[in-house]
Amino acid sequence: MPIPRPLRLAVGLVLLAPAVAGCGGGDKPAFSSDRINIGFKGDRPGMSEFTDKGTYDGFEPHLATMVTGTIPVGDKRLSYTATPVTTANWQDALLDGQANHNKADLVIADVSERDDLKKEYDLAGPYLQTPLGVLLKADDTRVVGKAEDLKALRVCVSTGTTAEAQLNEIGGLPPVHGENLTQCLARVDDGTADAVLSDYLVLKGVAANSGSNGRRAYRVARDAHIGKTQFLMMVLPKGHQKACEELRRAINDYLQTPDWMNSLRRYFDFAPADFTDKELRDTFQPITTSAGDRCSA
């Protein structure tokens, strides 16, 4: 029998110290261990990719290292072990690690802030903001600069994502569905879809790492910023306010360092000749705030 959700939350998280109701945790530490399990997706070149060396590489694993390394836990610094999650299973992995999922204490996996997530999770960040973008084959010369341009295209979206909701709002041809980004890329490759709609930065990372070692070459429509800006958040189970606030402060400090901009350029191949620092800051650098409905007790 499935474990009731409140119990799953109670038994699932062992390395983050839960907040005490009404007092935000009192004197309890934010983290009860100096090492936590962080869930990453492995199919996002640039953002987060599982390499043939058996490690994760990309902006999000690098971010995790830079942020956790500044948080003290006793006389040590917080560190992490990477564990795999997917679009379909990250919530189960975060809550209880059962049903063949590895346990994650924290998920950093291009999860966009949504009102429904705030009801069951604490959200630390944002660490990036991004519009939705459009990916096409590199040799596809069609001009895509605005949402209306998508109406004539067969666009693949992952089921249950913000991109799917946005595409339904735009209208046009029926969406082509994929379980994840890899399946949507396959749809483009085999001609059953013309384009993929997803977070601009996720698609930019895929395009930047395409076209070599037998990979098909893709491009992202440079100026097609579709829909509302998405805020990418670190996700914890609900009720871990102190850990959430510690992470938020560390993210905010990291956003002010030169490494944030350098990493954005390195992992997503933003050449200075094509994108100025101001363009990147205006488009992708968020303001990290302590909103009550993000880190809530």
Side-chain angles (χ1 to χ4, degrees), residues 38-263:
I38 299 182
F40 299 103
K41 295 176 183 175
D43 61 348
R44 303 287 205 269
M47 188 68 82
S48 179
E49 183 176 34
F50 190 71
T51 71
D52 56 9
K53 297 179 180 179
T55 59
Y56 285 86
D57 184 53
F59 184 90
E60 287 178 330
H62 178 73
L63 167 80
T65 299
M66 300 302 291
V67 167
T68 59
T70 67
I71 297 176
V73 182
D75 58 355
K76 298 181 180 180
R77 295 285 172 172
L78 189 64
S79 60
Y80 71 89
T81 299
T83 191
V85 298
T86 67
T87 299
N89 74 23
W90 69 261
Q91 295 184 56
D92 285 334
L94 187 63
L95 293 180
D96 58 26
Q98 296 183 11
N100 299 317
H101 305 309
N102 292 322
K103 179 69 185 68
D105 301 300
L106 175 70
V107 166
I108 308 176
D110 63 272
V111 178
S112 298
E113 180 180 32
R114 303 195 312 265
D115 287 340
D116 62 309
L117 290 181
K118 295 176 186 177
K119 297 176 182 178
E120 296 187 20
Y121 303 96
D122 283 340
L123 306 178
Y127 56 87
L128 285 172
Q129 66 180 33
T130 178
L132 295 176
V134 182
L135 177 142
L136 309 99
K137 292 178 182 177
D139 57 2
D140 189 330
T141 60
R142 282 175 285 196
V143 176
V144 180
K146 57 186 184 301
E148 290 292 312
D149 296 331
L150 296 178
K151 289 185 174 182
L153 301 180
R154 297 167 299 165
V155 181
C156 187
V157 289
S158 296
T159 303
T161 60
T162 305
E164 180 186 36
Q166 182 65 47
L167 189 61
N168 288 332
E169 185 177 315
I170 293 169
L173 297 177
V176 178
H177 287 97
E179 182 178 327
N180 50 42
L181 178 60
T182 300
Q183 286 191 7
C184 274
L185 293 174
R187 302 285 189 269
V188 172
D189 291 349
D190 66 21
T192 56
D194 301 310
V196 179
L197 182 67
S198 187
D199 290 344
Y200 188 104
L201 282 175
V202 170
L203 298 180
K204 186 68 170 66
V206 170
N209 289 275
S210 68
S212 61
N213 298 322
R215 292 177 170 177
R216 180 181 289 279
Y218 305 105
R219 70 179 181 90
V220 174
R222 185 193 189 281
D223 298 318
H225 296 172
I226 308 298
K228 297 179 180 179
T229 297
Q230 308 299 306
F231 297 98
L232 303 190
M233 312 293 291
M234 297 184 182
V235 188
L236 309 85
K238 198 72 168 176
H240 295 85
Q241 183 185 24
K242 291 189 72 171
C244 183
E245 285 288 0
E246 287 271 14
L247 289 165
R248 183 199 62 78
R249 283 190 288 269
I251 293 167
N252 182 64
D253 289 345
Y254 178 62
L255 286 169
Q256 314 310 314
T257 68
D259 189 74
W260 182 88
M261 178 68 72
N262 294 337
S263 297

